[in-house]
Amino acid sequence: MSKSQHDRTHHAKKATGIGDPQCFKGEAGSAKFKVGDKVRIRDLPDLFYTRCQVYTRGAVGTVVALVYESPAAEDEAWDNTDKPEWFYSVKFRQKDLWPEYHDVYANDTLETEFSERWLEKA
Amino acid sequence: MSDKHKPQPMVDEISDFEVLETAVRELAIEKGLFSAEDHRRWTEYVHTLGPVPAARLVAKAWLDPEYKKLAVKDGVKASLAVGVDWINSPPTGFGTPSDYCNLRVLEDTPKLKHVVVCTLCSCYPRPILGQSPEWYRTPNYRRRLVRWPRQVLAEFGLQLPPDVEIRVADSNQKTRYIVLPVRPAGTEGWTEDQLAEIVTRDCLIGVAVPKPGVTTNEKRPVRPAVHPVHHDH
């Protein structure tokens, strides 16, 4: 994985005229989850970097969209872009995130995205 | 002694930040990491940005059900109709490096109201909405909106019945969002221009709803910069 020098043309060559994350389309293989699936957010180690918010760990939500394919931020932030994965938009009931969320507002929800590694079947 | 009686400084004070900004920019140009031309082009691109295209997208969607469907299904494609190409409008030709190319349009209904935040930093749909507000970047907004959306929205003067679902969208990866609010009553027969005028930046973030007669964000204190940017182009 270690690269002696950062290739300053790689990203532009890959994405020009295409866009990011469009340039990773088709590189993640088959998606493990589909819209409607109940998923639990895994509590993976987050030493040095993550974009999976701590407030979602262990919570169960519903996949509402497969949004795109892309390297996970945890890889891309260190210039490792060779293993794209599926990204999912997941909706949670607020009650399932915050213990004090009031029953009066039981319909309230929160939606945010996860790469596939963060999800397990609930 | 009151502030009034202090002598005026003889020269403009240059802050540490400004000294460092010049050092970094000159070094990057000297080493060929980017050119002075690149720097100027990016600044000029940023000067073209603002909330008007997103407001127009909303107005178009209100007037054209087919376009609304497209906007909700494919925000990137729908943006083209208001002159914003997420891939080719920025100087890169591959989208802006920090906003990416995956706009989603969140459609409100009488039973669903969206509001957007980036808890991890300040991700914002700049190509179609312009610069993020200062408050949007604060740890306060980022900490509180996801957990106490009704309290935060109430501070913004927006309250919704308990049975309306409030959905907070946390922009934590490559998607950026704008909110497509419900078209308010009292706008029957309005033109696209008239409708777009009431869709303020705050409506597109979700902290306000459009109201006939209200064509600016709510007035709040503005903290002045020491050396502000002048938009005198």
Side-chain angles (χ1 to χ4, degrees), chain B residues 51-71:
Chain B
V52 172
R56 193 152 291 274
L57 184 152
V58 168
K60 278 183 184 298
W62 282 343
L63 293 170
D64 179 352
E66 284 306 310
Y67 181 71
K68 186 196 264 192
K69 271 188 218 159
L70 173 70

Side-chain angles (χ1 to χ4, degrees), chain A residues 8 15 17 20 22 51 53 55 68 70 76 87 89 94 98 100-101 105 107-113, chain B residues 33 87 93-94 100-102 104 121 146-147 149-150 163 165-170 172-175:
Chain A
R8 300 190 64 243
D20 183 352
Q22 287 86 340
R51 289 199 80 82
Q53 307 89 321
Y55 73 75
Y68 50 77
S70 169
E76 202 169 35
F87 277 67
S89 201
Q94 287 281 28
W98 317 109
E100 80 285 4
Y101 213 89
Y105 308 117
N107 293 334
D108 289 359
T109 53
L110 181 142
E111 189 173 331
T112 189
E113 292 180 348
Chain B
L33 298 179
I87 294 144
F94 53 79
Y100 303 99
C101 308
N102 197 54
R104 278 184 62 200
C121 41
V146 288
R147 188 165 186 165
R150 290 193 180 255
D163 62 317
E165 172 184 345
I166 292 186
R167 187 176 301 167
V168 179
D170 190 350
N172 70 331
Q173 304 278 2
K174 291 184 177 177
T175 298

Side-chain angles (χ1 to χ4, degrees), chain A residues 13-61:
Chain A
K13 280 187 199 148
K14 188 175 172 74
T16 298
I18 301 167
D20 183 352
Q22 287 86 340
C23 64
F24 300 105
K25 194 177 167 65
E27 294 184 14
S30 57
K32 195 170 165 188
F33 303 100
K34 60 181 189 306
V35 170
D37 284 357
K38 294 266 183 221
V39 289
R40 180 178 288 103
I41 311 308
R42 301 174 66 196
D43 190 13
L44 296 175
D46 56 12
L47 188 65
F48 298 129
Y49 191 62
T50 187
R51 289 199 80 82
C52 175
Q53 307 89 321
V54 167
Y55 73 75
T56 64
R57 307 289 171 87
V60 172

Side-chain angles (χ1 to χ4, degrees), chain B residues 155-198:
Chain B
E155 290 171 17
F156 277 97
L158 180 59
Q159 286 173 288
L160 294 143
D163 62 317
V164 171
E165 172 184 345
I166 292 186
R167 187 176 301 167
V168 179
D170 190 350
S171 184
N172 70 331
Q173 304 278 2
K174 291 184 177 177
T175 298
R176 302 291 176 265
Y177 308 92
I178 58 171
V179 175
L180 166 51
V182 174
R183 180 175 171 176
T187 59
E188 294 73 17
W190 281 28
T191 64
E192 187 178 301
D193 284 352
Q194 284 176 300
L195 291 168
E197 273 185 21
I198 61 168

Side-chain angles (χ1 to χ4, degrees), chain B residues 74-119:
Chain B
D74 189 341
V76 173
K77 196 180 274 182
S79 297
L80 295 172
V82 294
V84 174
D85 179 336
W86 282 74
I87 294 144
N88 296 301
S89 294
T92 56
F94 53 79
T96 82
S98 52
D99 309 300
Y100 303 99
C101 308
N102 197 54
L103 177 73
R104 278 184 62 200
V105 177
L106 305 172
E107 184 190 4
D108 290 350
T109 70
K111 289 290 168 203
L112 175 63
K113 171 86 204 95
H114 294 87
V115 58
V116 181
V117 63
C118 166
T119 58

